[in-house]
C-alpha cells in the first residue's frame, strides 16, 4: 500500500498537470478572440438552421416515399407468390 507521502506527491503532481492544461487552454482562447468576425458580415444563424431543417425534411420525405414504394412492391410480390402457391399447377 502506498504511504501518505506518496499519495500527497501523486495528488500534487495531478494538480500541477491540471493547472498546466487549463492555462494552455486559456492561452488558446486569448489567441482566438482576436479573430472575431463582425456580426454584419456573418450569415444569419436562424436562416442557416431553417435551410438545414428544410433539406432534412426533404430528405426524410424522399426516404419515406422510397420506403413506401419498396414496401408496396414487396407486398405485391408476396401476394403474387401466395396466389401462385394456391393455384393448382394445371391452371398456371
Amino acid at each position: 500500500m502506498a504511504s501518505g507521502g506518496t499519495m500527497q506527491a501523486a495528488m500534487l503532481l495531478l494538480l500541477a498537470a491540471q493547472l498546466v492544461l487549463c492555462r494552455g487552454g486559456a492561452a488558446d482562447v486569448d489567441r482566438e478572440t482576436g479573430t472575431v468576425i463582425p456580426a454584419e458580415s456573418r450569415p444569419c444563424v436562424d436562416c442557416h438552421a431553417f435551410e438545414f431543417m428544410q433539406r432534412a425534411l426533404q430528405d426524410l420525405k424522399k426516404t419515406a416515399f422510397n420506403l413506401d414504394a419498396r414496401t408496396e412492391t414487396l407486398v405485391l410480390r408476396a401476394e403474387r407468390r401466395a396466389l401462385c402457391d394456391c393455384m393448382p399447377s394445371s391452371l398456371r
Side-chain angles (χ1 to χ4, degrees):
M1 193 164 134
S3 67
T6 307
M7 286 295 287
Q8 286 179 346
M11 292 298 288
L12 196 57
L13 184 62
L14 181 62
L15 181 62
Q18 287 178 346
L19 285 173
V20 168
L21 289 175
C22 289
R23 186 168 280 221
D28 291 342
V29 170
D30 289 340
R31 275 186 249 131
E32 290 179 3
T33 56
T35 59
V36 173
I37 300 171
E40 300 83 36
S41 62
R42 282 183 286 177
C44 173
V45 174
D46 290 337
C47 296
H48 284 304
F50 181 73
E51 290 171 1
F52 174 78
M53 293 304 290
Q54 275 188 322
R55 286 193 301 272
L57 183 59
Q58 288 172 353
D59 290 345
L60 285 172
K61 285 180 181 178
K62 286 179 190 176
T63 302
F65 178 78
N66 290 339
L67 286 173
D68 189 42
R70 179 75 177 141
T71 302
E72 187 174 336
T73 302
L74 291 173
V75 167
L76 290 174
R77 191 180 299 166
E79 288 174 351
R80 187 179 313 130
R81 189 175 296 148
L83 285 174
C84 291
D85 290 344
C86 291
M87 291 178 28
S89 57
S90 61
L91 294 176
R92 286 188 199 170

